[in-house]
Amino acid sequence: MRKVSQLIPELNLWNGGDGISVSEWIFAVGHAAHAAGFAALLWPKIREFDGYILREPVNEMNLRGWEAGGRATRSQIETALNLQSLEEIFPDDHSEPTLKSAQIDYLADMMVDMLRAKLAREFPAHQFNVFVIDDGDNFGVSF
């Protein structure tokens, strides 16, 4: 996995080409609203609902639709409902495609680590498999 500083080409543009650190860059150009949004994305609210552990907001109608379909196990339903898709994230970011792909891969890996920690802390009696889904149709993180 690349270092995060390698995923932010703008760092090298500062200080006459000498660059700046990631934290210096965030302090210089970051926005509190973006930080709050990323916190919600990376550390989502999760709750137990009818025996499932689900990312909020829980869409009960969608859940019941999956159950009524009868083709998925409870575990498969939970995985589908907890999928945080990254397929279309940042549609206005026109970064070079290889760089953007590496950035999104890095984000997915960080999300897996953070969700593992969050789930272990908030639901210690349960065991979770947190993983990246990349099946050609979907790219995201679920548990």
Side-chain angles (χ1 to χ4, degrees):
M1 179 179 5
R2 288 186 187 184
K3 290 173 35 179
V4 70
S5 60
Q6 295 172 316
L7 299 173
I8 307 170
E10 297 120 76
L11 296 178
N12 296 324
L13 302 176
W14 289 75
N15 295 323
D18 289 337
I20 59 175
S21 70
V22 173
S23 59
E24 290 170 321
W25 177 71
I26 289 171
F27 291 146
V29 301
H31 297 275
H34 291 169
F38 285 122
L41 176 72
L42 298 171
W43 198 263
K45 297 216 181 289
I46 298 171
R47 71 180 177 119
E48 192 161 357
F49 180 84
D50 202 17
Y52 294 92
I53 306 295
L54 298 172
R55 185 186 300 265
E56 289 190 353
V58 173
N59 181 331
E60 186 174 358
M61 188 182 315
N62 191 15
L63 169 63
R64 300 303 176 217
W66 274 92
E67 290 175 332
R71 294 183 298 186
T73 66
R74 286 181 68 85
S75 178
Q76 290 168 326
I77 293 169
E78 203 170 59
T79 295
L81 295 179
N82 285 319
L83 174 64
Q84 175 61 62
S85 177
L86 299 174
E87 193 79 35
E88 301 297 325
I89 197 167
F90 311 124
D92 292 332
D93 178 352
H94 303 294
S95 296
E96 186 275 320
T98 302
L99 174 62
K100 185 172 180 182
S101 178
Q103 292 166 333
I104 300 303
D105 288 347
Y106 178 85
L107 177 63
D109 290 341
M110 291 300 102
M111 290 175 76
V112 166
D113 286 347
M114 293 175 83
L115 277 171
R116 282 182 181 142
K118 180 176 182 65
L119 290 165
R121 185 184 89 172
E122 294 184 9
F123 302 96
H126 296 270
Q127 294 211 356
F128 297 93
N129 180 23
V130 183
F131 52 93
V132 173
I133 294 174
D134 188 2
D135 63 10
D137 292 326
N138 297 295
F139 178 74
V141 175
S142 192
F143 58 93

